[in-house]
Amino acid sequence: MSNKEAEDKVQEQNRIDFVRKEIDEKLNLMEQDIHNIGGDVGQLRSTFWEDVTVNLDEPDDVIETFTSIKQQAELLGERERTYGQIHQQQKVLQKLKDSPYFGRIDFDEEGEGTEAIYIGIASFMDKQNEEFYIYDWRAPISSVYYDYSPGPASYQTPGGKIDGELLLKRQFIIRDGKLISLFDTGVTIGDELLLEVLGNNANSMMKSIVATIQKEQNQIIRNEKSRYLLVQGVAGSGKTSAALQRVAYLLYKHRDTLKSDNIMLFSPNPLFNSYVSTVLPELGEENMRQSTFYEYLQSRIGKSYQVEDSFSQLEYLLTETDSVKKESRLKSIQFKSSVEFKKLIDEYLEVLHKDGVVFKDIVFRNKVFISSEELMRKFYEIDSHISIPNRMHLLIEWAQKEMKKHAKAERKQSWVDEEMELMDKEEYLEAFHAVQKEEDFDYFDQEEKFLRKIIVNKYFKSIYSAVKKLRFIDMTAMYRGVFELSCPNALTEDEWRKIGEQTIENLQKKVLSYEDGTPFAYLKDKLEGKKSTSGIRQVFIDEAQDYSDFQINYLKELFPYSKMTLLGDINQAIYAHEHNEIVANGEQEDVESIVLMKSYRSTKEIIEFTRGLAVNGDEIEPFNRHGEKPNVVSVVNPTKKIDDLLTRIEDWKGNGYKTIAIICKTIKESSEVYEMLKGKLDVRFIQKGTTSYEKGISVIPAFLAKGIEFDGVILYNVSNYQGELEKELFYTACTRAMHALSMYIEDGKMNPYFERIKEDTYKLIEVK
């Protein structure tokens, strides 16, 4: 180390010590505030009613009482909010105390002189709130750190562009307040810092990467120009991490108008939600709304139908041995996932404006109160220029009035007498008290009348609810009607007939295949009206390549006022439908695309191995972090295979690997491997219902491993991956590995993809 470097290190450590001291002083003041406000909250809660004026004798007194309660509640709410905000600030400051900042830029602004800007996960100012000791990584000036090397530089502020010169760009590694290392760097975040972060072992949670954001990732984070932002990134390029930092950036920049509740993330599986759950809280932000597309679909379809999930669809295609059945299902999946099918449903809806909506009888105790024919007649009496959902709303109003007439008539029926006789004491008393509340009540004359009314209303409650929810629309018949239309141009008559027969058979069992879920929900929305999604302002879709054209178009209609960020990798498109264009309908002018070709997750050796499997694999740029070549282990004896696998895992654990995945092709294979290993290892079986990700050894099917990374990955049997669909699955499984990748083949049988993989990129080991 030169004298200059040693001197710089001493100066920077002195500044760290100074900032930590200031943080301590701020924390002490906060502790006093917390104590005082906490006391106020407790006092306000305990004396709430003592401090409220309650007088209900006169109208003016009632207003005064209401105002008094409102003022006291607002005071308590304000104190509780302040208490929560200080508590949140304390947590952020504790993190800053450990590692106050990770970067420094010396920026010479034109006409303003030079300022040293220190960048961390949150802002921190002096006691007078005049000088920034630390700038938040999301602040406008912080973008200079990510986007420029020393020389001319600029950044955008709400007031316009600021020009100047970047004189110094420095990075720090600080742990527990101690400066471990510092280095001055060029345009990219220095390899030393990246190596330190990427060389660490995987955690059970995704890490916050604000210290290592690259220039191309920063473009994703701060982009606000277009309605649709499409990010195509190779495996391990940091696209999901950058998307989560983008959420944090948007919440920071628009903190007065945008809350975490206004942001929706569609993730690939419930496990992924757990995996990313700590990233935003680490940055002092609350998590956004999260859902899988399947969960969202289920909520819109309701509980009347059993909807297949995407994993079951894929499992069927991976395990079905009858080639005729499999081919027929593939054809059905591809057509039902297409924009052509959506257009067919739109044409069907045009016809339904004039004729064809099918209703169900509204029935009570085997008596038809409003027939399906009557509902249909009334519906088509309403002006056809009014939209179908609005006509349905008018039909609800009419049906509710009709049902109230029927309810009144029903009070005289003999079944009500029977119900009155069966009432127990508690029910009778409850009814009696309800009766007493009625004005002008004459007990002897009206007791029976009111009891009858209460009994009938109790039984009619579910009918009123069903009418309000439009349960009288026969959705099974409506969806079946789509398959009674003429054969679409994209299919032969025989293909269309088979698709229709299979769909109708499922509908009769109240079952919807995954490929039917979106079209069914779309048709239902078009008949009933969409639920409002106006509160969602930003939508993030991870693994967007797994969404069909129909699904993407459906989401665009569901969130018409939202901006969308779509993240994907065409090489990991593991489902059978055609790969989507993501945005169509002439909206390309409102789309921005960013391509990430540099991979940070895996060692250079693992990336070299997977190049041959990827589209444009030669363009993938590996980060310069080295490790062992992937091992291809050839075994004949199953017992020897297990012995070798156990030894391999023990070696990896000895290397400090905290997360190890044994990845199988299907759920069925995963289950068999787990049963075989659970007595020999402390191992966990990750299934499609698993909602939390933990450190240790996991057995997991390949399609559930998407988006997650592991220190070491073992592919249990790569001999049984075949066909184009399974190539993406194989690629996905291989690219989960950070440091080590091992694959087992049986009877010396390589899968066909090895023809695309260079022999010098892996090491072949024979176990006899």
Side-chain angles (χ1 to χ4, degrees), residues 196-236:
E196 201 257 352
V197 172
L198 299 172
N200 288 338
N201 296 319
N203 201 313
S204 60
M205 301 293 182
M206 182 177 277
K207 297 167 188 167
S208 163
I209 58 153
V210 292
T212 57
I213 292 166
Q214 304 297 291
K215 183 177 180 179
E216 65 274 18
Q217 292 166 337
N218 198 42
Q219 289 174 348
I220 297 165
I221 292 164
R222 295 173 189 260
N223 185 295
E224 293 197 72
K225 298 178 204 166
S226 307
R227 183 175 171 197
Y228 298 104
L229 177 63
L230 311 184
V231 181
Q232 163 69 28
V234 297

Side-chain angles (χ1 to χ4, degrees), residues 375-398:
L375 285 162
M376 185 189 229
R377 179 180 56 77
K378 196 70 188 172
F379 177 79
Y380 282 109
E381 281 176 3
I382 301 168
D383 187 349
S384 62
H385 291 100
I386 298 171
S387 71
I388 289 177
N390 285 341
R391 287 156 84 183
M392 287 294 178
H393 183 73
L394 293 170
L395 189 62
I396 287 171
E397 290 179 357
W398 173 81

